[in-house]
Amino acid sequence: MTAILAPAPPDSDLKPVAGSTTNGVIQILRMRRDPFAFSAAQQSEFGNISFINAFGQRIVTCRGPVAADQILMNKQKAFANGPAWSFFIGPFFNRGVMLLDFDEHRHHRLILQQAFTPPVLKGYIQAMQPMIAERIKQFPVGDVLLFNEFKALTLDVALEVFMGLELPQDVADKINKAFIETVRASTSIVRRPVPGGRWWKGLRSRKILEEFMMSHIPAKRATQTPDLFSVLCHAESEEGHRFTDEDVVNHMIFVLMAAHDTSTMTMTQMAYHMAKSPQWQQRARTQSLELGPELAYDDLAALTDIDLIMKESLRMCAPVPGQPRMAVKDTEVMGHFIPKGAIVSVPGLTNHYDPEYWKEPFTFDPERFTSERAEDKSHRMAWHPFGGGVHKCIGLYFGQLEIKTIMHHLLRGFEWSVPDDYTMPMDYSALPVPKDKLPVTMRRV
């Protein structure tokens, strides 16, 4: 049965947003089981703009690059990140930079950007290079769950580069588990702290992360070191403003989560597609072997095949599947009335399969990103894995640097494969991860 979100103003030519009255739990389960089929069915019935019932809310899904451009660029300042993201992750990633808006967001981002300038990024690659090279040498061979290996490695990189810490394995495992539980909590159907439930585990894990970060702040305030933690403790704006201890903790938890999880998911997708398309694995390996083992910051541009594979992998599985915003005033999207207080979502995961912009979108084809084809240039929001506008991912260049460095060393030392009939099963209940952790056969080269 069809309903509308809210009647359009009678003196306007706007259309109301329509959607189904189907129970929200049923809609969430259908969407998680197959987000592509669910999106196609919604679009077929209601068009590009429609609402779904989810988590006790009516959430407006705004499909396509035109809607993405209007919402993410937000020229009319009609949408805010904080109220929307806070509904999903607020208790677990309180006051991370993605949850701030307008002047406050600009103030925090200007300070935070000092940790991602080109000179600082060059320092990061120098810091991470020896550790990544050593860890890759120790990769197992035979039957390997590659997602688990990537996750452990990216956590180690994040802790060393961002925090300047080497932790005992039991502490690292505890922190890793805490990050996993905070992310999973954001899409809990039962959004109350019921003991043993996702929401309850997320709140418990947030406290673990806060206590862990806060315990290291005195040492970071006392001495300047090249890591992100120290940079945030000492960074000042032009007006002399500095982050409080609480600001530092909030930003560190959010940035560590973002860097750790999104890099892991992207590399898992890259490795999967290189296993299914071994010609691309060999192309990328040949390029890495030509460069030599030591990868300098200026060498990254030469890894063109890894870059193409990464972009296509991000297209086929955006690490952040949806980007929510809340309307802070009555507004419109593509001629549809959006009332103040409504949550809208830009569905990056399914937007990247729009056949109007992507030829054979379900086919892995990295050459669509070459300058000759440049399908991603058909619309500036045809490809938006890092978001857009003032909230575009602040760590995107670090993420690409880390991913290329890890894949460069992996390709030089190993080859991997999966059976011809293998398809990686995905879990879309939170961020998209492989249900089976991507089992591959690893061999040294």
Side-chain angles (χ1 to χ4, degrees), residues 65 311-312 315 348 350-363 365 368-369 373-379 381-385:
K311 288 178 177 176
E312 177 69 339
R315 182 192 70 81
T350 53
N351 268 2
H352 289 168
Y353 286 77
D354 190 332
E356 183 178 346
Y357 300 92
W358 304 100
K359 181 181 178 182
E360 298 181 8
F362 285 89
T363 300
D365 181 8
R368 67 175 82 245
F369 287 92
R373 288 175 57 184
E375 292 181 23
D376 59 314
K377 301 297 191 295
S378 56
H379 189 289
M381 286 295 174
W383 185 77
H384 55 88

PDB file of all heavy atoms in Angstrom, residues 65 311-312 315 348 350-363 365 368-369 373-379 381-385:
ATOM      1  N   PRO A  65      22.821  10.702  -9.549  1.00  0.00           N
ATOM      2  CA  PRO A  65      23.818  11.752  -9.316  1.00  0.00           C
ATOM      3  C   PRO A  65      23.239  13.158  -9.213  1.00  0.00           C
ATOM      4  O   PRO A  65      23.824  14.014  -8.545  1.00  0.00           O
ATOM      5  CB  PRO A  65      24.759  11.626 -10.518  1.00  0.00           C
ATOM      6  CG  PRO A  65      23.982  10.902 -11.561  1.00  0.00           C
ATOM      7  CD  PRO A  65      23.048  10.003 -10.832  1.00  0.00           C
ATOM      8  N   LYS A 311      39.591   2.268  -7.970  1.00  0.00           N
ATOM      9  CA  LYS A 311      38.421   3.073  -8.313  1.00  0.00           C
ATOM     10  C   LYS A 311      37.233   2.204  -8.714  1.00  0.00           C
ATOM     11  O   LYS A 311      36.097   2.455  -8.308  1.00  0.00           O
ATOM     12  CB  LYS A 311      38.766   4.053  -9.431  1.00  0.00           C
ATOM     13  CG  LYS A 311      39.655   5.197  -8.986  1.00  0.00           C
ATOM     14  CD  LYS A 311      40.005   6.125 -10.144  1.00  0.00           C
ATOM     15  CE  LYS A 311      40.826   7.310  -9.650  1.00  0.00           C
ATOM     16  NZ  LYS A 311      41.264   8.189 -10.766  1.00  0.00           N
ATOM     17  N   GLU A 312      37.493   1.176  -9.505  1.00  0.00           N
ATOM     18  CA  GLU A 312      36.392   0.297  -9.915  1.00  0.00           C
ATOM     19  C   GLU A 312      35.861  -0.513  -8.737  1.00  0.00           C
ATOM     20  O   GLU A 312      34.648  -0.754  -8.631  1.00  0.00           O
ATOM     21  CB  GLU A 312      36.865  -0.634 -11.045  1.00  0.00           C
ATOM     22  CG  GLU A 312      35.842  -1.664 -11.514  1.00  0.00           C
ATOM     23  CD  GLU A 312      34.637  -1.086 -12.247  1.00  0.00           C
ATOM     24  OE1 GLU A 312      34.327   0.111 -12.092  1.00  0.00           O
ATOM     25  OE2 GLU A 312      33.984  -1.863 -12.975  1.00  0.00           O
ATOM     26  N   ARG A 315      33.678   1.702  -6.852  1.00  0.00           N
ATOM     27  CA  ARG A 315      32.395   1.862  -7.547  1.00  0.00           C
ATOM     28  C   ARG A 315      31.475   0.691  -7.251  1.00  0.00           C
ATOM     29  O   ARG A 315      30.289   0.857  -6.950  1.00  0.00           O
ATOM     30  CB  ARG A 315      32.602   1.973  -9.065  1.00  0.00           C
ATOM     31  CG  ARG A 315      31.285   2.185  -9.826  1.00  0.00           C
ATOM     32  CD  ARG A 315      31.444   2.008 -11.322  1.00  0.00           C
ATOM     33  NE  ARG A 315      31.685   0.632 -11.722  1.00  0.00           N
ATOM     34  CZ  ARG A 315      30.724  -0.291 -11.862  1.00  0.00           C
ATOM     35  NH1 ARG A 315      29.452   0.009 -11.615  1.00  0.00           N
ATOM     36  NH2 ARG A 315      31.027  -1.520 -12.241  1.00  0.00           N
ATOM     37  N   GLY A 348      24.982   5.660  -2.123  1.00  0.00           N
ATOM     38  CA  GLY A 348      26.164   5.487  -2.950  1.00  0.00           C
ATOM     39  C   GLY A 348      26.337   4.071  -3.466  1.00  0.00           C
ATOM     40  O   GLY A 348      26.783   3.865  -4.601  1.00  0.00           O
ATOM     41  N   THR A 350      24.196   1.788  -4.438  1.00  0.00           N
ATOM     42  CA  THR A 350      23.401   1.470  -5.626  1.00  0.00           C
ATOM     43  C   THR A 350      23.498   2.545  -6.702  1.00  0.00           C
ATOM     44  O   THR A 350      23.326   2.251  -7.886  1.00  0.00           O
ATOM     45  CB  THR A 350      21.929   1.241  -5.241  1.00  0.00           C
ATOM     46  OG1 THR A 350      21.448   2.369  -4.494  1.00  0.00           O
ATOM     47  CG2 THR A 350      21.794  -0.007  -4.376  1.00  0.00           C
ATOM     48  N   ASN A 351      23.797   3.795  -6.324  1.00  0.00           N
ATOM     49  CA  ASN A 351      23.981   4.848  -7.326  1.00  0.00           C
ATOM     50  C   ASN A 351      25.057   4.480  -8.336  1.00  0.00           C
ATOM     51  O   ASN A 351      24.975   4.846  -9.512  1.00  0.00           O
ATOM     52  CB  ASN A 351      24.377   6.166  -6.648  1.00  0.00           C
ATOM     53  CG  ASN A 351      23.175   7.031  -6.308  1.00  0.00           C
ATOM     54  OD1 ASN A 351      22.030   6.651  -6.543  1.00  0.00           O
ATOM     55  ND2 ASN A 351      23.442   8.204  -5.756  1.00  0.00           N
ATOM     56  N   HIS A 352      26.075   3.775  -7.895  1.00  0.00           N
ATOM     57  CA  HIS A 352      27.204   3.449  -8.758  1.00  0.00           C
ATOM     58  C   HIS A 352      26.881   2.380  -9.793  1.00  0.00           C
ATOM     59  O   HIS A 352      27.775   1.960 -10.539  1.00  0.00           O
ATOM     60  CB  HIS A 352      28.395   2.992  -7.904  1.00  0.00           C
ATOM     61  CG  HIS A 352      29.031   4.093  -7.124  1.00  0.00           C
ATOM     62  ND1 HIS A 352      29.948   3.875  -6.118  1.00  0.00           N
ATOM     63  CD2 HIS A 352      28.896   5.439  -7.211  1.00  0.00           C
ATOM     64  CE1 HIS A 352      30.345   5.034  -5.617  1.00  0.00           C
ATOM     65  NE2 HIS A 352      29.720   6.004  -6.263  1.00  0.00           N
ATOM     66  N   TYR A 353      25.642   1.939  -9.831  1.00  0.00           N
ATOM     67  CA  TYR A 353      25.224   0.928 -10.810  1.00  0.00           C
ATOM     68  C   TYR A 353      24.203   1.491 -11.803  1.00  0.00           C
ATOM     69  O   TYR A 353      23.549   0.744 -12.511  1.00  0.00           O
ATOM     70  CB  TYR A 353      24.639  -0.290 -10.094  1.00  0.00           C
ATOM     71  CG  TYR A 353      25.691  -1.153  -9.425  1.00  0.00           C
ATOM     72  CD1 TYR A 353      26.273  -0.761  -8.222  1.00  0.00           C
ATOM     73  CD2 TYR A 353      26.123  -2.346  -9.992  1.00  0.00           C
ATOM     74  CE1 TYR A 353      27.248  -1.534  -7.603  1.00  0.00           C
ATOM     75  CE2 TYR A 353      27.090  -3.124  -9.385  1.00  0.00           C
ATOM     76  CZ  TYR A 353      27.651  -2.713  -8.193  1.00  0.00           C
ATOM     77  OH  TYR A 353      28.622  -3.484  -7.597  1.00  0.00           O
ATOM     78  N   ASP A 354      24.082   2.803 -11.842  1.00  0.00           N
ATOM     79  CA  ASP A 354      23.102   3.431 -12.725  1.00  0.00           C
ATOM     80  C   ASP A 354      23.524   3.239 -14.184  1.00  0.00           C
ATOM     81  O   ASP A 354      24.555   3.763 -14.618  1.00  0.00           O
ATOM     82  CB  ASP A 354      23.020   4.933 -12.407  1.00  0.00           C
ATOM     83  CG  ASP A 354      21.858   5.616 -13.093  1.00  0.00           C
ATOM     84  OD1 ASP A 354      21.446   5.147 -14.177  1.00  0.00           O
ATOM     85  OD2 ASP A 354      21.360   6.628 -12.557  1.00  0.00           O
ATOM     86  N   PRO A 355      22.733   2.490 -14.992  1.00  0.00           N
ATOM     87  CA  PRO A 355      23.145   2.204 -16.377  1.00  0.00           C
ATOM     88  C   PRO A 355      23.176   3.439 -17.265  1.00  0.00           C
ATOM     89  O   PRO A 355      23.747   3.411 -18.351  1.00  0.00           O
ATOM     90  CB  PRO A 355      22.080   1.203 -16.858  1.00  0.00           C
ATOM     91  CG  PRO A 355      20.899   1.436 -15.972  1.00  0.00           C
ATOM     92  CD  PRO A 355      21.461   1.844 -14.646  1.00  0.00           C
ATOM     93  N   GLU A 356      22.555   4.533 -16.815  1.00  0.00           N
ATOM     94  CA  GLU A 356      22.617   5.764 -17.599  1.00  0.00           C
ATOM     95  C   GLU A 356      24.036   6.331 -17.619  1.00  0.00           C
ATOM     96  O   GLU A 356      24.422   7.028 -18.561  1.00  0.00           O
ATOM     97  CB  GLU A 356      21.652   6.797 -17.015  1.00  0.00           C
ATOM     98  CG  GLU A 356      21.599   8.101 -17.807  1.00  0.00           C
ATOM     99  CD  GLU A 356      20.599   9.101 -17.255  1.00  0.00           C
ATOM    100  OE1 GLU A 356      19.746   8.708 -16.427  1.00  0.00           O
ATOM    101  OE2 GLU A 356      20.684  10.284 -17.647  1.00  0.00           O
ATOM    102  N   TYR A 357      24.832   5.992 -16.594  1.00  0.00           N
ATOM    103  CA  TYR A 357      26.175   6.552 -16.484  1.00  0.00           C
ATOM    104  C   TYR A 357      27.271   5.496 -16.587  1.00  0.00           C
ATOM    105  O   TYR A 357      28.425   5.842 -16.846  1.00  0.00           O
ATOM    106  CB  TYR A 357      26.309   7.303 -15.157  1.00  0.00           C
ATOM    107  CG  TYR A 357      25.325   8.434 -15.033  1.00  0.00           C
ATOM    108  CD1 TYR A 357      24.074   8.232 -14.439  1.00  0.00           C
ATOM    109  CD2 TYR A 357      25.614   9.697 -15.541  1.00  0.00           C
ATOM    110  CE1 TYR A 357      23.154   9.270 -14.342  1.00  0.00           C
ATOM    111  CE2 TYR A 357      24.701  10.736 -15.454  1.00  0.00           C
ATOM    112  CZ  TYR A 357      23.475  10.515 -14.855  1.00  0.00           C
ATOM    113  OH  TYR A 357      22.556  11.540 -14.774  1.00  0.00           O
ATOM    114  N   TRP A 358      26.921   4.231 -16.354  1.00  0.00           N
ATOM    115  CA  TRP A 358      27.921   3.173 -16.323  1.00  0.00           C
ATOM    116  C   TRP A 358      27.541   2.065 -17.304  1.00  0.00           C
ATOM    117  O   TRP A 358      26.462   1.487 -17.208  1.00  0.00           O
ATOM    118  CB  TRP A 358      28.044   2.592 -14.913  1.00  0.00           C
ATOM    119  CG  TRP A 358      28.353   3.637 -13.877  1.00  0.00           C
ATOM    120  CD1 TRP A 358      27.488   4.242 -13.025  1.00  0.00           C
ATOM    121  CD2 TRP A 358      29.630   4.208 -13.616  1.00  0.00           C
ATOM    122  NE1 TRP A 358      28.136   5.146 -12.231  1.00  0.00           N
ATOM    123  CE2 TRP A 358      29.458   5.154 -12.566  1.00  0.00           C
ATOM    124  CE3 TRP A 358      30.908   4.022 -14.141  1.00  0.00           C
ATOM    125  CZ2 TRP A 358      30.517   5.902 -12.051  1.00  0.00           C
ATOM    126  CZ3 TRP A 358      31.966   4.768 -13.625  1.00  0.00           C
ATOM    127  CH2 TRP A 358      31.760   5.690 -12.596  1.00  0.00           C
ATOM    128  N   LYS A 359      28.434   1.763 -18.226  1.00  0.00           N
ATOM    129  CA  LYS A 359      28.212   0.697 -19.201  1.00  0.00           C
ATOM    130  C   LYS A 359      28.392  -0.654 -18.515  1.00  0.00           C
ATOM    131  O   LYS A 359      29.409  -0.903 -17.869  1.00  0.00           O
ATOM    132  CB  LYS A 359      29.199   0.833 -20.358  1.00  0.00           C
ATOM    133  CG  LYS A 359      29.030  -0.215 -21.441  1.00  0.00           C
ATOM    134  CD  LYS A 359      30.073  -0.026 -22.533  1.00  0.00           C
ATOM    135  CE  LYS A 359      29.941  -1.105 -23.601  1.00  0.00           C
ATOM    136  NZ  LYS A 359      30.984  -0.948 -24.652  1.00  0.00           N
ATOM    137  N   GLU A 360      27.381  -1.525 -18.634  1.00  0.00           N
ATOM    138  CA  GLU A 360      27.409  -2.854 -17.996  1.00  0.00           C
ATOM    139  C   GLU A 360      27.878  -2.729 -16.552  1.00  0.00           C
ATOM    140  O   GLU A 360      28.946  -3.216 -16.174  1.00  0.00           O
ATOM    141  CB  GLU A 360      28.304  -3.814 -18.783  1.00  0.00           C
ATOM    142  CG  GLU A 360      27.826  -4.055 -20.205  1.00  0.00           C
ATOM    143  CD  GLU A 360      28.721  -5.035 -20.955  1.00  0.00           C
ATOM    144  OE1 GLU A 360      29.616  -5.643 -20.326  1.00  0.00           O
ATOM    145  OE2 GLU A 360      28.526  -5.191 -22.168  1.00  0.00           O
ATOM    146  N   PRO A 361      27.090  -2.076 -15.706  1.00  0.00           N
ATOM    147  CA  PRO A 361      27.548  -1.715 -14.356  1.00  0.00           C
ATOM    148  C   PRO A 361      27.886  -2.887 -13.452  1.00  0.00           C
ATOM    149  O   PRO A 361      28.658  -2.720 -12.510  1.00  0.00           O
ATOM    150  CB  PRO A 361      26.375  -0.908 -13.793  1.00  0.00           C
ATOM    151  CG  PRO A 361      25.196  -1.300 -14.617  1.00  0.00           C
ATOM    152  CD  PRO A 361      25.723  -1.593 -15.977  1.00  0.00           C
ATOM    153  N   PHE A 362      27.354  -4.088 -13.713  1.00  0.00           N
ATOM    154  CA  PHE A 362      27.651  -5.225 -12.851  1.00  0.00           C
ATOM    155  C   PHE A 362      28.901  -5.984 -13.304  1.00  0.00           C
ATOM    156  O   PHE A 362      29.236  -7.029 -12.745  1.00  0.00           O
ATOM    157  CB  PHE A 362      26.445  -6.165 -12.768  1.00  0.00           C
ATOM    158  CG  PHE A 362      25.333  -5.616 -11.902  1.00  0.00           C
ATOM    159  CD1 PHE A 362      24.342  -4.807 -12.449  1.00  0.00           C
ATOM    160  CD2 PHE A 362      25.295  -5.880 -10.539  1.00  0.00           C
ATOM    161  CE1 PHE A 362      23.324  -4.283 -11.653  1.00  0.00           C
ATOM    162  CE2 PHE A 362      24.285  -5.362  -9.737  1.00  0.00           C
ATOM    163  CZ  PHE A 362      23.306  -4.554 -10.300  1.00  0.00           C
ATOM    164  N   THR A 363      29.592  -5.458 -14.313  1.00  0.00           N
ATOM    165  CA  THR A 363      30.827  -6.064 -14.809  1.00  0.00           C
ATOM    166  C   THR A 363      32.035  -5.316 -14.265  1.00  0.00           C
ATOM    167  O   THR A 363      32.084  -4.082 -14.311  1.00  0.00           O
ATOM    168  CB  THR A 363      30.867  -6.031 -16.348  1.00  0.00           C
ATOM    169  OG1 THR A 363      29.758  -6.769 -16.860  1.00  0.00           O
ATOM    170  CG2 THR A 363      32.163  -6.630 -16.877  1.00  0.00           C
ATOM    171  N   ASP A 365      35.253  -3.712 -14.591  1.00  0.00           N
ATOM    172  CA  ASP A 365      35.898  -3.156 -15.784  1.00  0.00           C
ATOM    173  C   ASP A 365      36.668  -1.889 -15.395  1.00  0.00           C
ATOM    174  O   ASP A 365      36.195  -0.772 -15.584  1.00  0.00           O
ATOM    175  CB  ASP A 365      34.831  -2.842 -16.841  1.00  0.00           C
ATOM    176  CG  ASP A 365      35.416  -2.287 -18.129  1.00  0.00           C
ATOM    177  OD1 ASP A 365      36.662  -2.284 -18.272  1.00  0.00           O
ATOM    178  OD2 ASP A 365      34.638  -1.844 -18.994  1.00  0.00           O
ATOM    179  N   ARG A 368      37.061   1.551 -17.405  1.00  0.00           N
ATOM    180  CA  ARG A 368      36.045   2.606 -17.505  1.00  0.00           C
ATOM    181  C   ARG A 368      36.554   3.900 -16.855  1.00  0.00           C
ATOM    182  O   ARG A 368      35.995   4.964 -17.083  1.00  0.00           O
ATOM    183  CB  ARG A 368      34.730   2.152 -16.874  1.00  0.00           C
ATOM    184  CG  ARG A 368      34.747   1.961 -15.391  1.00  0.00           C
ATOM    185  CD  ARG A 368      33.360   1.628 -14.834  1.00  0.00           C
ATOM    186  NE  ARG A 368      32.976   0.228 -14.943  1.00  0.00           N
ATOM    187  CZ  ARG A 368      31.971  -0.215 -15.690  1.00  0.00           C
ATOM    188  NH1 ARG A 368      31.250   0.637 -16.393  1.00  0.00           N
ATOM    189  NH2 ARG A 368      31.677  -1.500 -15.729  1.00  0.00           N
ATOM    190  N   PHE A 369      37.612   3.804 -16.030  1.00  0.00           N
ATOM    191  CA  PHE A 369      38.166   4.989 -15.378  1.00  0.00           C
ATOM    192  C   PHE A 369      39.380   5.568 -16.116  1.00  0.00           C
ATOM    193  O   PHE A 369      39.993   6.519 -15.621  1.00  0.00           O
ATOM    194  CB  PHE A 369      38.552   4.665 -13.934  1.00  0.00           C
ATOM    195  CG  PHE A 369      37.371   4.507 -13.017  1.00  0.00           C
ATOM    196  CD1 PHE A 369      36.807   3.258 -12.805  1.00  0.00           C
ATOM    197  CD2 PHE A 369      36.807   5.605 -12.385  1.00  0.00           C
ATOM    198  CE1 PHE A 369      35.705   3.108 -11.969  1.00  0.00           C
ATOM    199  CE2 PHE A 369      35.710   5.467 -11.557  1.00  0.00           C
ATOM    200  CZ  PHE A 369      35.157   4.216 -11.351  1.00  0.00           C
ATOM    201  N   ARG A 373      37.971   6.665 -21.655  1.00  0.00           N
ATOM    202  CA  ARG A 373      36.545   6.406 -21.427  1.00  0.00           C
ATOM    203  C   ARG A 373      35.954   7.342 -20.376  1.00  0.00           C
ATOM    204  O   ARG A 373      34.893   7.918 -20.582  1.00  0.00           O
ATOM    205  CB  ARG A 373      36.344   4.947 -21.017  1.00  0.00           C
ATOM    206  CG  ARG A 373      36.546   3.989 -22.180  1.00  0.00           C
ATOM    207  CD  ARG A 373      36.472   2.542 -21.736  1.00  0.00           C
ATOM    208  NE  ARG A 373      35.219   2.213 -21.072  1.00  0.00           N
ATOM    209  CZ  ARG A 373      34.957   1.016 -20.534  1.00  0.00           C
ATOM    210  NH1 ARG A 373      35.864   0.062 -20.596  1.00  0.00           N
ATOM    211  NH2 ARG A 373      33.801   0.786 -19.954  1.00  0.00           N
ATOM    212  N   ALA A 374      36.611   7.470 -19.244  1.00  0.00           N
ATOM    213  CA  ALA A 374      36.235   8.426 -18.194  1.00  0.00           C
ATOM    214  C   ALA A 374      34.737   8.422 -17.903  1.00  0.00           C
ATOM    215  O   ALA A 374      34.093   9.467 -17.887  1.00  0.00           O
ATOM    216  CB  ALA A 374      36.698   9.826 -18.586  1.00  0.00           C
ATOM    217  N   GLU A 375      34.178   7.237 -17.652  1.00  0.00           N
ATOM    218  CA  GLU A 375      32.754   7.162 -17.335  1.00  0.00           C
ATOM    219  C   GLU A 375      32.420   7.919 -16.051  1.00  0.00           C
ATOM    220  O   GLU A 375      31.301   8.416 -15.883  1.00  0.00           O
ATOM    221  CB  GLU A 375      32.311   5.700 -17.222  1.00  0.00           C
ATOM    222  CG  GLU A 375      32.334   4.962 -18.538  1.00  0.00           C
ATOM    223  CD  GLU A 375      31.858   3.518 -18.423  1.00  0.00           C
ATOM    224  OE1 GLU A 375      31.116   3.201 -17.474  1.00  0.00           O
ATOM    225  OE2 GLU A 375      32.231   2.704 -19.294  1.00  0.00           O
ATOM    226  N   ASP A 376      33.384   8.013 -15.150  1.00  0.00           N
ATOM    227  CA  ASP A 376      33.147   8.726 -13.895  1.00  0.00           C
ATOM    228  C   ASP A 376      33.009  10.230 -14.103  1.00  0.00           C
ATOM    229  O   ASP A 376      32.553  10.942 -13.201  1.00  0.00           O
ATOM    230  CB  ASP A 376      34.277   8.446 -12.901  1.00  0.00           C
ATOM    231  CG  ASP A 376      35.649   8.861 -13.436  1.00  0.00           C
ATOM    232  OD1 ASP A 376      35.942   8.537 -14.602  1.00  0.00           O
ATOM    233  OD2 ASP A 376      36.420   9.487 -12.692  1.00  0.00           O
ATOM    234  N   LYS A 377      33.397  10.708 -15.286  1.00  0.00           N
ATOM    235  CA  LYS A 377      33.280  12.142 -15.557  1.00  0.00           C
ATOM    236  C   LYS A 377      31.958  12.494 -16.234  1.00  0.00           C
ATOM    237  O   LYS A 377      31.720  13.652 -16.578  1.00  0.00           O
ATOM    238  CB  LYS A 377      34.442  12.598 -16.451  1.00  0.00           C
ATOM    239  CG  LYS A 377      35.828  12.360 -15.858  1.00  0.00           C
ATOM    240  CD  LYS A 377      36.042  13.141 -14.577  1.00  0.00           C
ATOM    241  CE  LYS A 377      37.491  13.117 -14.122  1.00  0.00           C
ATOM    242  NZ  LYS A 377      37.977  11.793 -13.755  1.00  0.00           N
ATOM    243  N   SER A 378      31.080  11.506 -16.425  1.00  0.00           N
ATOM    244  CA  SER A 378      29.793  11.770 -17.084  1.00  0.00           C
ATOM    245  C   SER A 378      28.919  12.695 -16.247  1.00  0.00           C
ATOM    246  O   SER A 378      28.066  13.404 -16.760  1.00  0.00           O
ATOM    247  CB  SER A 378      29.052  10.458 -17.355  1.00  0.00           C
ATOM    248  OG  SER A 378      28.885   9.720 -16.148  1.00  0.00           O
ATOM    249  N   HIS A 379      29.123  12.681 -14.942  1.00  0.00           N
ATOM    250  CA  HIS A 379      28.482  13.606 -14.005  1.00  0.00           C
ATOM    251  C   HIS A 379      29.375  13.653 -12.783  1.00  0.00           C
ATOM    252  O   HIS A 379      29.917  12.637 -12.361  1.00  0.00           O
ATOM    253  CB  HIS A 379      27.076  13.125 -13.633  1.00  0.00           C
ATOM    254  CG  HIS A 379      26.280  14.127 -12.844  1.00  0.00           C
ATOM    255  ND1 HIS A 379      26.566  14.446 -11.535  1.00  0.00           N
ATOM    256  CD2 HIS A 379      25.208  14.891 -13.194  1.00  0.00           C
ATOM    257  CE1 HIS A 379      25.697  15.347 -11.105  1.00  0.00           C
ATOM    258  NE2 HIS A 379      24.869  15.641 -12.089  1.00  0.00           N
ATOM    259  N   MET A 381      28.853  13.646  -9.814  1.00  0.00           N
ATOM    260  CA  MET A 381      28.426  12.779  -8.726  1.00  0.00           C
ATOM    261  C   MET A 381      28.042  11.383  -9.218  1.00  0.00           C
ATOM    262  O   MET A 381      27.369  10.644  -8.503  1.00  0.00           O
ATOM    263  CB  MET A 381      27.250  13.401  -7.976  1.00  0.00           C
ATOM    264  CG  MET A 381      27.642  14.570  -7.100  1.00  0.00           C
ATOM    265  SD  MET A 381      28.723  14.080  -5.737  1.00  0.00           S
ATOM    266  CE  MET A 381      29.121  15.691  -5.062  1.00  0.00           C
ATOM    267  N   ALA A 382      28.493  11.037 -10.429  1.00  0.00           N
ATOM    268  CA  ALA A 382      28.264   9.663 -10.884  1.00  0.00           C
ATOM    269  C   ALA A 382      29.036   8.678  -9.999  1.00  0.00           C
ATOM    270  O   ALA A 382      28.599   7.556  -9.760  1.00  0.00           O
ATOM    271  CB  ALA A 382      28.687   9.510 -12.348  1.00  0.00           C
ATOM    272  N   TRP A 383      30.211   9.127  -9.535  1.00  0.00           N
ATOM    273  CA  TRP A 383      31.080   8.315  -8.663  1.00  0.00           C
ATOM    274  C   TRP A 383      31.381   9.153  -7.430  1.00  0.00           C
ATOM    275  O   TRP A 383      32.011  10.198  -7.522  1.00  0.00           O
ATOM    276  CB  TRP A 383      32.359   7.981  -9.430  1.00  0.00           C
ATOM    277  CG  TRP A 383      33.319   7.054  -8.753  1.00  0.00           C
ATOM    278  CD1 TRP A 383      33.216   5.690  -8.637  1.00  0.00           C
ATOM    279  CD2 TRP A 383      34.577   7.398  -8.132  1.00  0.00           C
ATOM    280  NE1 TRP A 383      34.317   5.184  -7.988  1.00  0.00           N
ATOM    281  CE2 TRP A 383      35.160   6.196  -7.664  1.00  0.00           C
ATOM    282  CE3 TRP A 383      35.245   8.601  -7.926  1.00  0.00           C
ATOM    283  CZ2 TRP A 383      36.398   6.167  -7.010  1.00  0.00           C
ATOM    284  CZ3 TRP A 383      36.475   8.584  -7.276  1.00  0.00           C
ATOM    285  CH2 TRP A 383      37.043   7.374  -6.820  1.00  0.00           C
ATOM    286  N   HIS A 384      30.873   8.711  -6.281  1.00  0.00           N
ATOM    287  CA  HIS A 384      31.063   9.532  -5.075  1.00  0.00           C
ATOM    288  C   HIS A 384      31.299   8.673  -3.834  1.00  0.00           C
ATOM    289  O   HIS A 384      30.621   8.813  -2.821  1.00  0.00           O
ATOM    290  CB  HIS A 384      29.862  10.462  -4.858  1.00  0.00           C
ATOM    291  CG  HIS A 384      28.526   9.781  -4.797  1.00  0.00           C
ATOM    292  ND1 HIS A 384      27.988   9.286  -3.632  1.00  0.00           N
ATOM    293  CD2 HIS A 384      27.610   9.516  -5.757  1.00  0.00           C
ATOM    294  CE1 HIS A 384      26.806   8.743  -3.875  1.00  0.00           C
ATOM    295  NE2 HIS A 384      26.553   8.863  -5.149  1.00  0.00           N
ATOM    296  N   PRO A 385      32.291   7.776  -3.854  1.00  0.00           N
ATOM    297  CA  PRO A 385      32.541   6.941  -2.674  1.00  0.00           C
ATOM    298  C   PRO A 385      33.037   7.727  -1.467  1.00  0.00           C
ATOM    299  O   PRO A 385      32.944   7.234  -0.336  1.00  0.00           O
ATOM    300  CB  PRO A 385      33.604   5.950  -3.161  1.00  0.00           C
ATOM    301  CG  PRO A 385      34.314   6.682  -4.251  1.00  0.00           C
ATOM    302  CD  PRO A 385      33.250   7.493  -4.942  1.00  0.00           C
TER     303      PRO A 385
END
